[in-house]
Amino acid sequence: MSQVNGVEYGEKDFSWLKFDRERCVRCGVCVDMCPMDVIHFGSQGYPYMRYRDDCWYCDVCTFMCPRQAIVMEELPYLIR
């Protein structure tokens, strides 16, 4: 759980990165390569977007994932 302004958010709340758990092998490349330390491992060992507001939309996580298990979607309209 993350806490932002006193509100707790879970691993599935407010994220534009979708992690395909069938493809993900929990290798941690996305966690290691994220320049802003946005992606962390969740309680079940799968990555999730922990600090959404710190994301630069650099797409490194989707590019570096060896299993193509990450999809960036639902970007804020200013980024598209």
Side-chain angles (χ1 to χ4, degrees):
M1 289 278 193
S2 298
Q3 192 171 24
V4 178
N5 295 330
V7 178
E8 290 194 3
Y9 294 95
E11 295 173 14
K12 295 182 179 179
D13 294 329
F14 71 91
S15 175
W16 47 79
L17 293 177
K18 302 300 177 198
F19 299 91
D20 185 342
R21 290 187 173 202
E22 291 185 15
R23 288 180 171 231
C24 180
V25 293
R26 297 180 269 188
C27 65
V29 171
C30 57
V31 175
D32 293 340
M33 297 304 292
C34 180
M36 293 303 292
D37 198 27
V38 169
I39 302 172
H40 286 250
F41 284 115
S43 59
Q44 296 180 356
Y46 290 99
Y48 76 104
M49 194 174 197
R50 187 170 182 184
Y51 304 114
R52 179 183 81 161
D53 293 338
D54 291 342
C55 181
W56 287 355
Y57 318 100
C58 64
D59 213 17
V60 167
C61 54
T62 60
F63 181 74
M64 295 301 293
C65 179
R67 303 284 309 246
Q68 291 82 41
I70 305 172
V71 175
M72 187 176 284
E73 57 184 27
E74 300 176 20
L75 288 174
Y77 73 95
L78 293 174
I79 305 300
R80 292 183 204 156

